Amino acid sequence: SAAYLGYIDLRVLCLLLCLMAVVAGLQHCGVFLVLSQRLLAGEKNVRLLQLLLVLLPFFSSMLITNDVALITFVPFTLQILELAGERRRVLPTVILQTAAANLGSMATPVGNPQNLFLCGHFHLSAGDFFSTLLPYTAVSLLALSAGALVGSRQSVCVRFPQPAAIRRPGLLAVLAALFALCLLAVFHVVHYAVVTAVVVTALLVLAPALLKKVDYSLLLTFVFFFIFAGNIGQIPALRQLLAGW
């Protein structure tokens, strides 16, 4: 049916494309590794070390999505705990990180695709969005912190054999500006089509390889999801049943 085209939310797809490309660029520039090393290097209490490892994906997922936060910080955590001689903490730490990435990502419109869709579909303002989710985020932070602070009080010294450094600072500055532009589009300050054109053009000129790192299969999955959801919505009996629930 030609109506299928109307089911597809082009705004969400375009913003997802822009955000994934920009976040891939931030990873490429080494932003997250540099931040992590500066937070974790030196002598640390084991419980504090574990807390920092859990909070890194919690807060970073608010901007770079939950899956990217885990892909970035779980391998890093394995390296850190190996260097600290705390391999026995790998399993509980990674479990807490997985929960942290998902709980942190719910706190912002760009933390996961669901929030991006909801924020756009219902035209939520920043005030409405954050005031609704702030209590849940605060409770999640307290619970994760309590879980991470269980264990030994002994100290360990963490040293990195190869300190990370920021690569291509000029590109990083452009990416930061593009990310800010994406946030403006999420809250309808700037039209998504303008932002998409600016982001794609800038990356084609400065770093075309970043566009290859976008998860196009995820975007295609969303296309089919929109079509499926649109079709379900056209079945009167089912639509009434779901609305009643």
Side-chain angles (χ1 to χ4, degrees):
S1 169
Y4 286 5
L5 294 176
Y7 300 155
I8 298 171
D9 193 325
L10 189 60
R11 179 179 182 274
V12 170
L13 295 175
C14 286
L15 288 176
L16 271 177
L17 168 69
C18 293
L19 287 166
M20 285 192 286
V22 171
V23 167
L26 295 175
Q27 279 185 301
H28 172 73
C29 291
V31 172
F32 309 123
L33 286 180
V34 170
L35 172 65
S36 303
Q37 287 193 2
R38 290 185 179 178
L39 281 174
L40 298 169
E43 189 164 330
K44 295 280 189 300
N45 179 285
V46 171
R47 293 196 299 184
L48 176 60
L49 178 66
Q50 183 167 268
L51 177 63
L52 289 172
L53 288 171
V54 171
L55 294 185
L56 276 170
F58 179 78
F59 287 108
S60 64
S61 66
M62 296 179 184
L63 298 177
I64 65 175
T65 73
N66 46 4
D67 53 345
V68 174
L70 289 173
I71 290 169
T72 301
F73 291 113
V74 168
F76 183 74
T77 297
L78 300 179
Q79 178 192 12
I80 290 292
L81 294 177
E82 182 74 32
L83 288 171
E86 291 289 330
R87 293 185 64 182
R88 62 192 174 86
R89 288 183 175 267
V90 165
L91 189 58
T93 303
V94 172
I95 290 172
L96 285 169
Q97 284 183 315
T98 305
N102 285 282
L103 292 169
S105 69
M106 75 175 173
T108 65
V110 297
N112 57 52
Q114 302 96 295
N115 282 5
L116 189 61
F117 172 75
L118 291 170
C119 198
H121 185 75
F122 293 104
H123 299 282
L124 299 176
S125 68
D128 289 338
F129 185 92
F130 290 117
S131 63
T132 301
L133 286 168
L134 184 59
Y136 301 101
T137 305
V139 170
S140 300
L141 177 59
L142 291 174
L144 288 165
S145 299
L149 288 173
V150 173
S152 170
R153 293 176 178 270
Q154 71 184 63
S155 295
V156 294
C157 189
V158 179
R159 290 189 177 89
F160 296 94
Q162 294 182 333
I166 294 292
R167 298 188 293 270
R168 301 185 66 182
L171 175 62
L172 177 59
V174 173
L175 290 169
L178 293 177
F179 188 80
L181 198 59
C182 290
L183 293 181
L184 292 176
V186 169
F187 289 112
H188 303 277
V189 177
V190 182
H191 196 277
Y192 76 90
V194 175
V195 173
T196 304
V198 171
V199 170
V200 172
T201 302
L203 294 181
L204 281 173
V205 173
L206 298 173
L210 293 180
L211 292 172
K212 296 179 181 178
K213 295 186 177 182
V214 171
D215 189 351
Y216 293 102
S217 62
L218 176 63
L219 295 178
L220 192 60
T221 300
F222 267 84
V223 169
F224 290 123
F225 172 75
F226 287 136
I227 293 173
F228 169 77
N231 280 329
I232 290 295
Q234 296 305 311
I235 304 173
L238 184 56
R239 184 173 66 245
Q240 290 170 12
L241 177 65
L242 293 173
W245 285 348

